[in-house]
Structures are given as C-alpha cells and as structure tokens.
Amino acid sequence: MSKLCRFSFVLSMTTILSGVGVSQAAVRHKVATGRFAPAQNVKKSSAPKPEVVISSTSEQLSVSARRIVHGAVETVSQRLLSQAPAGTNPMKVLGSLPGVMFQSDDPQGLNTWSIQIFMHGFQAQELGMTLDGMPLGELAYRNYNGLNPVLAISSENVQRVNVSQSAGAEDVAATNNLGGTLAYISSDPHDKLGGSIRQGFGSYGNFHTFVRFDSGDLNRSGSKFYVSYMRNNGNLWKGYGNQFSQQVNAKFVQPLGHDSRISAFFDWSDIHQFTMPDTSPEVIHNLGYNVPNYYNARQSGLQAAINAANGVYPAGFDKLADKTDSAYYEATNNTQDLFGGIKADIRLNDRLTWNTTAYGHGETNQTTWTTPYYPSPGGSPLSELVKEPEIRRFGIISQLHYKIAHNEIGGGVWYENNAYQSPMNAYSMPNIVNGKLTSAIPDPLGNWKHPFAEIYNQNYNTNTFTAFVNDTYHVLSNLALHFGFKSVLSTTRVGDGYLNQDYYGAGARIASSEGLTTVKAFLPHISADWHFLRHHELFFDISENVHTYAECGYKLCASPFAVSQEAFDQTKSSLHPETAWTYAVGYRYNDQHIGASVYAYRTNFNNRLQQITSGSSINPISTVANVGGVTMNGVDAALTIMPIEGLSLTNSISYNHATYDNNITEAGTVYALKGSQVVNYPRFMYKSRLSYSWHGLLTYVDGSYTGTRNYSYTGDVKVPGYWLANAGVEYSFGDMKKYSSRLGAIKNIVVSFNVANLSNSRYISTMGENGNPMNIASGAMSFQSMLVGAPRMFFGSIRADF
C-alpha cells in the first residue's frame, strides 16, 4: 500500500471528532404520542476498492469507503453503510461517531416509533436533516414538516451522509438545527448499463430485498437514470406482529456541458408496522423485559384485551401500580409518502455557480392504538384511536456561489409552505359475547374507515423564509477563515380547532385561530481552520441558531399550539423560540499509522420549551412553558491506530455535562431540575471498533458503552448503563469473469454475515418516546416511556452487481 493510500485509509477509519468547517459547501401517549390521550467529485472505482474523494477546500485526499473528516463535517459513505445488516438505517451507523447516540428497539433501526438520535445532547427534533439539499424537517414519529430519512431514500441509494456536529451550517434548509445537521446525498445513476440485487435474511423472519436498474448513458449528452425497489419485512422479536416497508426511488441526471446539470429525484414509501409495547421501571422490575401486547391475530388476544379493560389482568400484573397501561391490545403505524424535487446546478462562468431546487412532499398517516378507556358503540370496552395527520408542503431553494481572489462567497434563500392537519378519530372494535365475535377482527395494518367519533383536530399552516450570506477567506494556503449569517422568518397559524366534549369533558377547547412568528435577522457563524504543520490541524467554531415552534396533535409534544385555549392564553406572552449558542475548538492529527483528535464544545441552550403535564395520564392537564436554559460542556477524544496493513483499531470517548439551568414550578410544586443532567442522554460514552481487511475479506467487531441516563427530569430515576457489541464478516468475489466466462455479466458478488448484540445484553434503548416524568412522586416508576433493546440476532445477505 502506498504512503498516500495508507494515510487516506487511516484518516477515513478514524472515528475522530468533528471540528469546524471553513465552508458549508465543502465535504460538507400516552402524553407525547397520544397513546395515553383519549461538489465533491467522486472518482469511480470498481468494488471492492474504496472510492477516492477529493475535497476542493480541505486540501486532503480521503477515502470515502470509511470516513472523511474536515472541520465540523464528518462523512460516512455507502461502503461503511453496506457493512451493516442489509437495509439498516444509516443513522444506526452514524451512531458510531463520537458524541452521537442512536437508539432503536430493532437491530436495523427501521421502526419509526423507536428511532431516536442525539448529537452532543441535542435530540432529533433539534437536528437539521436534508436529502440532496431538500429539507426533511424534524425527525418525529408523526412528522409535521418533513419525513424520516429512512422513508425518503433506501439505504442502498445513499452515497454518503455528511454530519455537521456544530449548529453553524447557515446554508442548510432547516429551522431546527440547534445541534447539528445530517445531510444525506443520494448516489447518481451509473454511466454504464447495469444494476444491483441484494437479498438479506435474518432472525425472526427478517427478509430484505433490494433491486436497482441503472440505464447507463442514453445518449451522447450523458442522460441517465436509475430506478430501485426495496422491500423489508420481519416479525417482532417480542409479541405478535410484523414490520413491513417498501420503497421506490428514482433519479434522473441530464448533464449540461461539462460543469452543469439538471437532476430529479423521486421517492415513494409505504410502511405498515406494529410497534413494540412501551414499558416502565416497575414493569421491568416486576415482570421483566418481555411483556408483550395482547394482540395475536386471534380471538384469544382480543379476549385478553377485553378482560384487561374489565379489570381482569394477566398473571403477575397484580404487582403493578398501573395495570391497565402496562399492556394494550395493539399499536401500529401505516404511512405513505410521496417526495421529490428537481435541481439545477448551473455554472454561469468560471467563477459563478447557481444552484436551485424545487421540491414537494405529501404524506398520509394512520398511527393507532387500542384504548381501554373509550368504549365502542357496539358494546366493546375497547375502541381504536387513530391519528390521521397529513402533510402537503412545497418549497424552493436557490443559492449563488462566487469565487474571487482568495474568497469563496455564497448567498441564498429558501421558502417553504407547509399545510399540516392533525386529526384523531375513534373506530369501533368488536366485542365477544358468549364466546362469539360480534364482528370480524379488523386488520390493524389495514386502512381504517368510517370512524364513529372525531376526538380532536387542528389545521396548521406555516410559511418559512430564510436567507444567508457567507464568505470563506483563504488567508494562506493552509489557513481559512469563515464568516456567515442566516436570517429566519417563520409564521405558523392554527385553526379549525375541535375537541370532543364527550371525550375531554364539557367546555374543553383547543387552541384555534392563533399564530406565532419566529424572527431572527442575524444568526452568525464564525470559524477558522489552520493546518499549521504537516499532519496537524487546529480549528474553532462559533455559531447561533434558532428552532421555530413545533407542531403536533393535541398534547403530543412541546408545541405551544397543541394545548387547550386556556393554556395557550396563559403562556403566549412568555413563549420565545428556542435558541442555542455553540462554541467549539479542536485539534486533529493524522499520519500513516495514527489518527487522533480532541474536540471540546460549550453550548448555551436558551428558552427551552417543555411540555408539562399533571393529573390523569389518559386526559392530562398539559401546558407548554418556557423553562429556562441548558448549559452543555463536553469533550470528545478519539484515537485510531493501524499497526500493519489492513488492521485498524479505533477507540473514542465522549463526555457531556449538560445540565438544566432552572428549577420548574408547576401547580404549586417546585421540581428541583437545576444542575441535573438532561434526560435520555448519557454523560459518558465509549466506542471501539477493530477491523481487518485482506484482499476481498473484511471482518470487524465493535463495542460500545452507553452510560447512565436520567429517566426523570430531577434525576431520581435513572436507567443504568450498558455494553453492546456487534460483529460481521464480508467477502467480495470481485469480477466473476475470472471464475467462469459464463458469469461475465456479474461484476461483483458480495456475501456477508452479521451478529447484532453479540453478548445478548438486556438493556433499555429508546427513552422518552412518550415524554419524561418529573420525578418519583409524579409517578415516574409506572410511566411507560421506555423501549427494550433487541436481543441477539443474526443476519446474512448476498449482493450481485451487474
């Protein structure tokens, strides 16, 4: 291996900390869910060799088969993504980065109810996400202004994900990137006619299929496209039910001369998933980790749910304070999305480029749970509560970039209109009389029709406008300074509010005919990057950003609109958009055998909006209040060594001291939050990966430790830390012509085998999916807002490229 290639390989394998980018254009429920509530140029290379990527600003040559690190941007490429079990959510792979925590109750990370990602203490809703520059909005179970990236693009079509762990990316189309940005880049169609087929299989009936056809160049101008189909299906590892998803992606590219092009991307996704039952500390303590829901697709499961609604519970439930909410009949998610856009990348002259994207997105959604608190008209003590939100949004992004002397100047605008509806309806469930069903058992994954009652509704409309300017000044060949700022104007209005008086009580009113505006004219970003010696780099970053007001169904999140009219009137004058100042500094070293880095940061998170609930968990009193700030001080450190060719060992540690600045007083009770670590995110994480490659063989084993996490806001209920390990082996046969001339059409075959949760650890994965309790006295021990991590599972796959 040459010196340059060895250096590139070490650099890319390093799990080192993100620092500061000098150019954003460079490499660049229960209460909360309602379950309670009635030009980077890529040089082609044939697999399994890694792609070589040249960054126009970093003056580094890096191998995108692992990770590219430059400033605040760290890149994870398709080569690394493909080593995970077939169909794995790219975010799960991003969880190996220092300071990043990904949680899910399934090993592929595909169940949208359980997906949770944090970066340096900021949760998913506070991270900007884009696909080819198109905004994906806030990552939430029921998205209100975007869609989950796993629903926007099949993992096999992701070329890379650029991760900025600083809030400064002022050119990103997002109004929630307080803690960083995930920028997904889709792969382009191939120049030659061909395709790819990947078939995966795994424990609990997992079956993953991916098929892609590439047209190759259709004419002399280079017109080309691809179309792909993905299907993933598997059974729940606990209880009864399956998790099905299918997806179609298509992309068309039309070159215009040598340096310009027009491209179009299309996505259709369709998911039908049972969700795992939420659990609580008391359920785990008294009954263990494997308490399922009652559903089993047979009459006996419905009978068990009816018995529970009538006060007759399964064995062992007598030990629980909250017997009714410790298991339900079922809960599901049925979502369909259409998403796409057209992008023009035009080089107007040698110095000036113009990039414009127009996009649109529509979503229909039915998320369900069977409530024992609202009977059906036909006599069943159960009914099906179905939230049926819809999204209709469109937007345009336009940017100019100009190079003159030592400056790279950029500017642009983004406009989006988003119409969001958030109704919930009740549907009849059958009863069992004298051992016979009064009607057929409905399919939870089917299309629910003809509700017997509307429970609530709100219609939102949001207009968002942002603008930015920036300049990267190359003082010297090894020193760059960056300055930019973003302006934000976003107005949300809510109307058509309705609350069912029978469900919520006489006189109940939801906030309606109200509006709030977020205005921030100057959100600065300043950074510098200095390669002061060979292999050595210093950087710093200072930035401010804002989070516009969230939207959701009634009492489902910390949205100031998703409350009663009385609660809105009481808090409206005290509400302000959440903001965050982030200060970061770092050092990085890379040579042939060692990669090391240290990244330190401080964040002042202000005007934090929090949903505060009291009273019954079924129909709680819910308000959204400004509860002050959070101060975060943290450091990440990483070291990669490559003692011999092909062998690499990476270790990283992350420390995050993120504490609340204020206590909270609610209904006369003072909750001592001040000084407590933020909920759901650990103070300490450790990650390690050992890999070895030899010819077509690649093997790896990775391990991680996630430290103690606060479950209650005051920290009097905690979830213990845990270790998790995974392993995999992959062999690439290369061009099959060398084995037989009859196989000449097959350019490569790759077989792989993976083991997830190697030691079969028992642990809590996702936390706070239904919100978090205040303390033990407020019922934290019986509050169901945890999901159990998946046990040991096995996966295999075979991929053929043509």
Side-chain angles (χ1 to χ4, degrees):
M1 180 180 288
S2 69
K3 181 177 181 180
L4 176 59
C5 290
R6 187 189 297 268
F7 164 73
S8 301
F9 187 82
V10 173
L11 174 63
S12 59
M13 283 298 295
T14 306
T15 318
I16 57 181
L17 284 205
S18 300
V20 172
V22 297
S23 172
Q24 306 312 317
V27 223
R28 303 217 209 202
H29 214 126
K30 318 191 172 172
V31 174
T33 69
R35 292 193 183 176
F36 274 150
Q40 195 171 44
N41 300 314
V42 179
K43 181 181 177 181
K44 296 179 183 177
S45 59
S46 59
K49 294 180 180 179
E51 296 178 334
V52 177
V53 178
I54 301 176
S55 167
S56 62
T57 61
S58 66
E59 303 177 352
Q60 299 175 15
L61 186 64
S62 306
V63 180
S64 69
R66 297 300 183 265
R67 297 192 178 100
I68 306 164
V69 183
H70 177 71
V73 179
E74 194 163 358
T75 294
V76 175
S77 78
Q78 175 58 222
R79 178 63 181 137
L80 187 61
L81 298 176
S82 66
Q83 293 172 18
T88 293
N89 185 344
M91 285 188 190
K92 187 174 179 67
V93 180
L94 300 181
S96 64
L97 300 177
V100 179
M101 182 186 74
F102 178 85
Q103 297 288 356
S104 176
D105 64 4
D106 72 289
Q108 291 176 291
L110 298 180
N111 187 278
T112 56
W113 169 238
S114 67
I115 290 174
Q116 187 178 69
I117 188 169
F118 284 79
M119 288 205 307
H120 290 159
F122 284 100
Q123 61 184 338
Q125 293 90 332
E126 296 150 354
L127 305 175
M129 299 186 187
T130 62
L131 171 60
D132 293 341
M134 296 179 289
L136 298 180
E138 295 192 18
L139 178 64
Y141 181 51
R142 281 172 290 270
N143 299 87
Y144 71 85
N145 66 352
L147 73 166
N148 193 310
V150 78
L151 306 181
I153 184 170
S154 299
S155 61
E156 289 89 349
N157 291 329
V158 177
Q159 177 181 318
R160 66 184 187 274
V161 183
N162 295 337
V163 182
S164 172
Q165 297 192 55
S166 179
E170 65 271 9
D171 59 348
V172 172
T175 56
N176 66 317
N177 54 323
L178 296 178
T181 303
L182 306 181
Y184 285 68
I185 309 298
S186 66
S187 61
D188 279 347
H190 297 159
D191 295 334
K192 294 184 178 180
L193 177 69
S196 180
I197 299 175
R198 188 177 190 186
Q199 184 60 62
F201 53 90
S203 302
Y204 298 91
N206 179 266
F207 205 72
H208 177 85
T209 301
F210 175 81
V211 180
R212 169 168 156 163
F213 169 75
D214 283 85
S215 69
D217 289 344
L218 298 172
N219 48 45
R220 291 185 178 181
S221 68
S223 305
K224 54 189 175 181
F225 71 89
Y226 72 73
V227 61
S228 69
Y229 173 76
M230 182 280 296
R231 182 181 187 275
N232 198 92
N233 197 17
N235 298 321
L236 297 179
W237 62 264
K238 177 172 65 172
Y240 189 93
N242 68 317
Q243 297 179 334
F244 171 83
S245 62
Q246 59 181 341
Q247 192 169 43
V248 173
N249 288 157
K251 188 172 184 178
F252 173 80
V253 173
Q254 175 60 61
L256 303 174
H258 295 291
D259 300 313
S260 301
R261 73 176 200 170
I262 294 176
S263 60
F265 179 85
F266 171 80
D267 168 71
W268 171 78
S269 68
D270 177 45
I271 65 172
H272 301 275
Q273 299 175 334
F274 282 85
T275 61
M276 289 284 188
D278 304 300
T279 191
S280 67
E282 75 159 7
V283 169
I284 293 173
H285 177 74
N286 291 293
L287 301 179
Y289 290 87
N290 291 324
V291 177
N293 280 329
Y294 299 121
Y295 180 82
N296 61 5
R298 298 189 296 273
Q299 182 174 324
S300 59
L302 180 61
Q303 184 67 68
I306 291 175
N307 290 343
N310 291 324
V312 181
Y313 299 98
F317 273 49
D318 58 311
K319 302 176 183 178
L320 305 177
D322 187 357
K323 303 176 182 62
T324 303
D325 295 316
S326 295
Y328 297 114
Y329 179 59
E330 48 82 354
T332 68
N333 178 17
N334 304 286
T335 303
Q336 294 78 40
D337 284 279
L338 288 173
F339 173 71
I342 299 175
K343 183 178 183 181
D345 298 299
I346 308 298
R347 180 173 291 278
L348 300 176
N349 56 44
D350 291 342
R351 298 179 180 273
L352 182 63
T353 59
W354 177 39
N355 312 101
T356 296
T357 302
Y359 65 90
H361 172 219
E363 179 180 278
T364 59
N365 179 284
Q366 287 188 325
T367 57
T368 79
W369 77 287
T370 312
T371 176
Y373 300 104
Y374 197 59
S376 296
S380 173
L382 308 173
S383 66
E384 194 80 2
L385 293 185
V386 183
K387 295 165 195 66
E388 304 184 63
E390 294 187 7
I391 296 173
R392 297 290 182 271
R393 66 187 179 109
F394 66 89
I396 187 167
I397 308 162
S398 188
Q399 300 182 1
L400 289 169
H401 298 277
Y402 184 65
K403 293 183 179 181
I404 182 172
H406 298 287
N407 296 81
E408 297 177 26
I409 302 171
V413 296
W414 166 46
Y415 169 76
E416 178 180 279
N417 175 264
N418 178 44
Y420 170 66
Q421 297 180 340
S422 62
M424 183 169 77
N425 297 308
Y427 294 80
S428 293
M429 288 291 291
N431 199 11
I432 299 176
V433 179
N434 297 325
K436 294 183 179 180
L437 288 165
T438 58
S439 61
I441 297 176
D443 178 8
L445 298 182
N447 186 18
W448 292 87
K449 296 180 179 179
H450 311 301
F452 70 83
E454 183 180 20
I455 305 302
Y456 65 69
N457 181 58
Q458 280 179 312
N459 293 341
Y460 293 83
N461 192 277
T462 301
N463 286 285
T464 298
F465 177 82
T466 71
F468 81 92
V469 293
N470 60 27
D471 178 26
T472 300
Y473 175 51
H474 297 272
V475 183
L476 301 169
S477 61
N478 62 341
L479 174 63
L481 303 177
H482 176 89
F483 174 76
F485 73 91
K486 177 168 70 174
S487 300
V488 174
L489 173 63
S490 180
T491 298
T492 297
R493 294 198 62 83
V494 62
D496 296 331
Y498 170 77
L499 286 184
N500 187 306
Q501 304 290 299
D502 179 51
Y503 191 88
Y504 289 105
R509 295 185 305 147
I510 193 172
S512 188
S513 300
E514 300 287 355
L516 290 172
T517 298
T518 300
V519 180
K520 287 289 182 179
F522 186 73
L523 296 168
H525 175 214
I526 305 170
S527 64
D529 191 274
W530 182 31
H531 296 262
F532 60 99
L533 290 173
R534 187 182 182 188
H535 309 308
H536 297 264
E537 179 185 3
L538 282 174
F539 48 85
F540 77 83
D541 183 274
I542 302 172
S543 60
E544 183 188 19
N545 223 315
V546 67
H547 184 191
T548 55
Y549 297 108
E551 305 167 26
C552 62
Y554 188 50
K555 302 183 182 181
L556 299 186
C557 73
S559 168
F561 303 103
V563 296
S564 69
Q565 184 67 57
E566 292 76 12
F568 182 87
D569 292 339
Q570 291 172 9
T571 60
K572 180 179 180 179
S573 61
S574 64
L575 296 179
H576 303 284
E578 297 175 330
T579 60
W581 275 96
T582 299
Y583 313 86
V585 61
Y587 164 78
R588 184 176 297 119
Y589 175 86
N590 282 289
D591 68 14
Q592 295 182 3
H593 301 289
I594 296 175
S597 70
V598 177
Y599 174 76
Y601 60 92
R602 177 184 175 87
T603 297
N604 295 114
F605 182 11
N606 301 310
N607 298 318
R608 185 172 57 87
L609 299 183
Q610 179 179 309
Q611 184 184 35
I612 299 175
T613 60
S614 58
S616 167
S617 60
I618 305 307
N619 186 12
I621 300 170
S622 180
T623 61
V624 174
N626 185 336
V627 295
V630 173
T631 300
M632 301 186 196
N633 293 291
V635 62
D636 297 337
L639 175 67
T640 293
I641 59 173
M642 188 177 173
I644 61 174
E645 184 175 338
L647 179 65
S648 178
L649 173 63
T650 297
N651 289 276
S652 71
I653 58 172
S654 302
Y655 177 80
N656 174 276
H657 187 272
T659 58
Y660 298 111
D661 296 339
N662 310 90
N663 295 328
I664 292 179
T665 301
E666 176 64 18
T669 301
V670 178
Y671 296 99
L673 272 66
K674 186 175 181 180
S676 295
Q677 179 77 7
V678 297
V679 294
N680 306 326
Y681 187 73
R683 186 160 285 182
F684 178 79
M685 290 188 291
Y686 167 77
K687 300 170 185 178
S688 181
R689 179 182 171 98
L690 176 66
S691 66
Y692 180 70
S693 61
W694 181 77
H695 297 287
L697 178 68
L698 170 70
T699 62
Y700 75 87
V701 60
D702 62 52
S704 64
Y705 175 76
T706 300
T708 301
R709 291 170 286 169
N710 280 355
Y711 182 55
S712 63
Y713 278 100
T714 60
D716 58 357
V717 180
K718 301 178 184 294
V719 168
Y722 66 92
W723 287 91
L724 200 63
N726 308 283
V729 59
E730 173 185 289
Y731 188 78
S732 177
F733 289 89
D735 195 333
M736 299 302 291
K737 185 187 297 185
K738 62 186 177 184
Y739 300 101
S740 171
S741 59
R742 298 180 180 179
L743 302 177
I746 305 176
K747 303 305 179 184
N748 190 24
I749 289 182
V750 180
V751 294
S752 64
F753 179 75
N754 302 83
V755 183
N757 193 356
L758 195 62
S759 60
N760 201 28
S761 298
R762 289 292 201 182
Y763 66 100
I764 297 300
S765 58
T766 308
M767 288 170 49
E769 69 275 11
N770 297 311
N772 291 79
M774 297 303 298
N775 58 11
I776 289 179
S778 64
M781 296 303 293
S782 60
F783 192 76
Q784 290 87 17
S785 194
M786 299 175 173
L787 292 169
V788 178
R792 179 169 50 231
M793 292 190 187
F794 302 91
F795 297 88
S797 73
I798 181 170
R799 189 186 84 230
D801 300 322
F802 300 93

